[in-house]
Amino acid sequence: MAFVSAASKIKNVVPLLDRVLIQRVKAQEKTASGIFIPEKAQEALNEGVVVAVGKGMLNKDGKHIPMELATGDRVLLPAFGGSPVKVAGEEFLLYRDSEILAKLTE
């Protein structure tokens, strides 16, 4: 998978607390019949793959609340939000765990 090679490039980026680093899934560049779709006509997908996760939010007692997500999970992203992060020429998004809409299963 292309996401695994991207993860090896960004091992030095570790999200803090309840933050999650996500690489957005790229839209299809050509149709099933082989016709190439121009970049401007491609729709932005609201799906991504978790590349790195933080330790989790702290509760009142100072203990970490476990994260809902793990590296490699496919997730459904909100239409807006997330902080863009560029590492090694690739763009990633940084979200809080609570901002992720859903975890996708196959």
Side-chain angles (χ1 to χ4, degrees):
M1 257 181 138
F3 299 109
V4 175
S5 65
S8 65
K9 291 179 186 176
I10 59 162
K11 286 192 183 243
N12 58 346
V13 177
V14 179
L16 299 176
L17 297 175
D18 67 334
R19 289 182 176 82
V20 181
L21 190 65
I22 297 191
Q23 185 173 29
R24 193 179 288 270
V25 174
K26 305 220 183 325
Q28 285 187 330
E29 295 181 359
K30 63 179 176 177
T31 63
S33 60
I35 299 171
F36 284 95
I37 303 170
E39 272 188 45
K40 290 187 178 187
Q42 293 175 6
E43 61 184 73
L45 298 175
N46 61 341
E47 190 176 318
V49 174
V50 176
V51 178
V53 296
K55 289 185 177 182
M57 194 61 155
L58 297 173
N59 64 12
K60 287 191 238 180
D61 301 327
K63 295 181 182 175
H64 285 283
I65 300 169
M67 296 285 285
E68 296 284 328
L69 301 170
T71 303
D73 286 346
R74 294 179 69 86
V75 294
L76 189 63
L77 303 172
F80 300 101
S83 301
V85 177
K86 214 166 201 183
V87 178
E90 293 191 51
E91 183 145 339
F92 299 92
L93 295 166
L94 199 58
Y95 286 95
R96 287 192 178 273
D97 185 40
S98 60
E99 293 175 338
I100 304 298
L101 301 177
K103 181 176 170 179
L104 302 174
T105 57
E106 296 191 27

